[in-house]
């Protein structure tokens, strides 16, 4: 009996061997066809992408997908390409089809949903994007989902939700969002200021300072609130705190400070001199062009052209600037009116030339996207970054001047 069994086993051995050999060959063949079909079309697509031939890249990726219908990565590459070429409807349809037809694991479903949410975001369908991104909880897509949600809430000006999302994101990523959170509180305060709800606004501004003790905007707004209620002394106190936060922003409140000192001056007398002295100290310490401009105008109005010319001359010695030269020439022209007409005309001519050269070209360059703004914004109008514009504008010379220089 035992002999018979062993005999049968020996006969079966070559058969198993043959079957195994065939199976292995089939596998290898399939593997080979996959690994050769994928890179050819895929790399063709990449090549078109690099040379910015988006339509051809779409064709190549579509071809690659036909050979590899199961490859999620290829679908995602094509979807991202659709988004980039503005064909968000095609991306949406493809991803919806995948969710419908494909037998996907939970992880893969999350991956497709993350792509679909990006499609909706790009298409401006914020409600649908938001719903999907919120659903991507507790997966490895949580962090990018929170980033996208933050973008949505920022665009839709949903500041309370933006604060909650940024706080989550901060906890998850370890990247601080203090500047942004404080700005969101300032935005909430702005809404209350417009609606004349001073107490609520004050409360939000306090929270802004709690979130970021260096939030200059909160102190600017707190001062504005006090002014709206006629409390100039309190307003000045808020604005003076900016020196201990980020002194480079003092130029933003220089005009406001002087106005409040002037208002107090009308009531009691003597405060305007204090104000000018305060701005002078700031100018000597921080050397900000905006401070100089405010101080120059005030000195011209309050103390006359001689004093203004002296201020401009001293400033010009300290740091050369076309704006200050313009101020010096203007003050000189005004102070020297008694001089011979010809000499005064010369000064006026020089001033006009200098003013033409600088024009009204003070610009604030966004340090994130390079956008040039004519006035200061807390949020860049182009890239939506917060506090990315400098506190002081840069002085640029007009194009005519630079061309002539060449
Ligand atoms: Zn920008």
């Amino acid at each position: 009996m035992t002999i018979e069994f062993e005999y049968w086993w020996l006969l079966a051995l070559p058969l198993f061997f043959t079957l195994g050999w065939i199976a292995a060959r089939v596998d290898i063949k399939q593997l080979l066809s996959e690994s050769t079909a994928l890179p050819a079309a895929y790399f063709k697509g990449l090549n078109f992408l690099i040379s910015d031939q988006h339509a051809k890249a779409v064709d190549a990726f579509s071809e690659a997908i036909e050979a590899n219908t199961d490859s999620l990565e290829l679908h995602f590459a094509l979807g991202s390409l659709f988004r980039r070429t503005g064909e968000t409807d095609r991306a949406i349809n493809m991803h919806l089809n995948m969710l419908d037809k494909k037998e996907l694991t939970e992880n893969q479903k999350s991956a497709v949903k993350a792509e679909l949410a990006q499609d909706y975001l790009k298409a401006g369908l914020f409600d649908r994007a938001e719903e999907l991104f919120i659903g991507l909880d507790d997966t490895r897509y949580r962090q990018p989902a929170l980033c996208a949600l933050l973008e949505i809430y920022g665009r839709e000006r949903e500041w309370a939700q933006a604060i909650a999302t940024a706080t989550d994101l901060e906890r998850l990523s370890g990247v601080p969002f203090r500047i942004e959170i404080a700005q969101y509180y300032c935005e909430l305060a702005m809404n209350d200021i417009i609606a004349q709800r001073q107490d609520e606004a004050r409360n939000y501004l306090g929270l802004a300072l709690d979130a970021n003790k260096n939030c200059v905007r909160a102190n600017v707004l707190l001062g504005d609130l006090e002014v709206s209620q006629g409390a100039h002394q309190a307003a000045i106190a808020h604005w003076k705190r900016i020196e201990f936060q980020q002194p480079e922003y003092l130029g933003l409140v220089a005009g406001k400070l002087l106005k409040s000192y002037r208002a107090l001056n009308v009531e009691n007398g003597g405060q305007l001199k204090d104000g000018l002295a305060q701005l002078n100290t700031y100018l000597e310490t921080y050397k900000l062009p905006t401070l100089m401009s405010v101080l120059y105008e005030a000195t011209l109005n309050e103390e006359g052209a001689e004093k203004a010319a002296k201020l401009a001359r001293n400033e010009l010695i300290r740091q050369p600037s076309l704006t200050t030269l313009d101020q010096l020439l203007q003050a000189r022209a005004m102070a020297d009116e008694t001089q011979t007409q010809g000499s005064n005309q010369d000064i006026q001519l020089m001033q006009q030339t200098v003013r033409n050269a600088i024009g009204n070209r003070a610009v604030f360059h966004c340090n994130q996207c390079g956008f040039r703004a004519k006035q200061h914004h807390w949020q860049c109008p182009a890239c939506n970054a917060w506090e990315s514009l400098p506190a002081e504008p840069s002085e640029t010379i007009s194009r005519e001047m630079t061309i002539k220089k060449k």
Side-chain angles (χ1 to χ4, degrees):
M1 184 101 171
T2 50
I3 292 163
E4 205 177 314
F5 174 71
E6 274 172 23
Y7 192 64
W8 178 83
W9 189 76
L10 279 173
L11 271 179
L13 196 58
L15 182 68
F16 284 139
F17 181 77
T18 316
L19 280 175
W21 183 79
I22 291 168
R25 266 202 64 130
V26 167
D27 259 354
I28 286 164
K29 231 182 176 180
Q30 198 178 339
L31 273 175
L32 274 175
S33 79
E34 264 180 19
S35 61
T36 47
L38 169 62
Y42 185 72
F43 285 113
K44 210 162 76 184
L46 280 185
N47 213 16
F48 286 132
L49 261 188
I50 291 163
S51 51
D52 273 337
Q53 293 171 280
H54 288 132
K56 284 183 182 170
V58 166
D59 290 344
F61 278 117
S62 302
E63 190 189 315
I65 282 179
E66 272 170 36
N68 295 267
T69 46
D70 290 335
S71 166
L72 284 187
E73 280 67 26
L74 276 176
H75 281 91
F76 293 160
L78 185 59
S80 136
L81 199 53
F82 282 147
R83 280 199 297 271
R84 205 191 306 170
T85 52
E87 297 172 278
T88 43
D89 47 337
R90 288 181 80 179
I92 290 169
N93 283 336
M94 187 180 76
H95 291 134
L96 282 176
N97 276 336
M98 286 169 81
L99 284 178
D100 268 356
K101 289 177 191 161
K102 299 266 172 180
E103 297 210 342
L104 301 173
T105 64
E106 278 308 308
N107 268 345
Q108 289 171 327
K109 254 184 207 159
S110 292
V112 179
K113 279 180 187 166
E115 292 295 318
L116 184 60
Q118 292 290 348
D119 302 340
Y120 286 142
L121 182 64
K122 186 76 200 286
L125 301 166
F126 294 143
D127 287 354
R128 287 187 211 179
E130 183 186 349
E131 203 184 311
L132 278 176
F133 280 126
I134 288 174
L136 290 170
D137 206 349
D138 282 337
T139 68
R140 62 198 161 114
Y141 304 102
R142 179 79 174 140
Q143 202 167 310
L146 284 175
C147 284
L149 281 170
L150 196 57
E151 194 191 326
I152 293 173
Y153 295 140
R155 282 209 218 171
E156 301 211 300
R157 308 180 66 76
E158 301 277 3
W159 305 119
Q161 279 163 299
I163 291 167
T165 308
T167 310
D168 278 355
L169 200 53
E170 207 172 46
R171 213 176 294 136
L172 199 69
S173 66
V175 177
F177 279 83
R178 297 283 103 191
I179 288 172
E180 288 79 3
I181 291 171
Q183 288 286 348
Y184 302 150
Y185 278 121
C186 287
E187 289 291 335
L188 285 171
M190 283 295 291
N191 292 344
D192 282 328
I193 289 172
I194 291 163
Q196 307 261 327
R197 293 187 294 259
Q198 274 92 355
D199 289 343
E200 285 88 338
R202 242 185 226 107
N203 182 40
Y204 279 133
L205 294 172
L207 290 170
L209 286 169
D210 287 345
N212 171 21
K213 66 176 171 38
N214 285 334
C215 181
V216 169
R217 190 186 184 188
N219 274 328
V220 174
L221 291 174
L222 279 167
D224 290 347
L225 267 175
E226 297 299 344
V227 167
S228 73
Q229 296 179 318
H232 291 283
Q233 200 74 58
I236 290 171
H238 281 301
W239 292 329
K240 276 185 167 178
R241 287 193 192 129
I242 294 168
E243 183 186 4
F244 307 104
Q245 294 183 303
Q246 302 182 69
E248 64 270 28
Y249 281 99
L250 278 170
L252 279 186
V253 290
K256 291 171 189 270
L257 269 170
L258 215 54
K259 234 177 169 175
S260 280
Y261 276 116
R262 195 171 274 132
L264 288 172
N265 198 54
V266 174
E267 290 166 22
N268 310 309
Q271 273 84 356
L272 189 56
K273 270 208 152 33
D274 295 346
L276 288 175
Q278 178 74 65
L279 288 192
N280 245 312
T281 311
Y282 286 156
L283 180 66
E284 277 168 24
T285 317
Y286 304 110
K287 302 173 180 65
L288 303 172
T290 311
L291 278 175
M292 176 57 199
S293 292
V294 172
L295 198 55
Y296 168 77
E297 289 298 330
T299 309
L300 195 62
N301 288 333
E302 305 297 334
E303 299 179 324
E306 285 285 358
K307 279 270 177 71
K310 193 178 163 204
L311 173 76
R313 196 178 304 116
N314 286 341
E315 181 60 22
L316 207 53
I317 292 165
R318 250 200 310 239
Q319 53 181 356
S321 142
L322 282 177
T323 310
T324 317
L325 179 60
D326 172 41
Q327 287 158 348
L328 173 62
L329 291 170
Q330 186 194 37
R332 278 281 305 276
M334 289 166 87
D336 296 351
E337 264 169 3
T338 49
Q339 273 199 358
T340 54
Q341 238 191 348
S343 151
N344 197 290
Q345 273 173 354
D346 286 351
I347 295 175
Q348 283 180 14
L349 207 61
M350 284 189 268
Q351 195 221 338
Q352 271 165 20
T353 312
V354 173
R355 185 157 289 188
N356 279 341
I358 39 180
N360 206 358
R361 284 161 207 278
V363 285
F364 297 84
H365 280 263
C366 171
N367 64 24
Q368 299 289 310
C369 72
F371 179 77
R372 297 151 65 100
K374 280 194 174 147
Q375 60 187 55
H376 179 264
H377 298 271
W378 291 109
Q379 185 179 27
C380 171
C383 72
N384 294 332
W386 291 97
E387 298 190 23
S388 60
L389 265 54
E392 287 283 323
S394 43
E395 194 178 81
T396 51
I397 296 171
S398 89
R399 203 189 241 174
E400 262 171 72
M401 277 299 261
T402 44
I403 288 169
K404 271 179 199 163
K405 258 184 173 174
K406 275 181 189 174

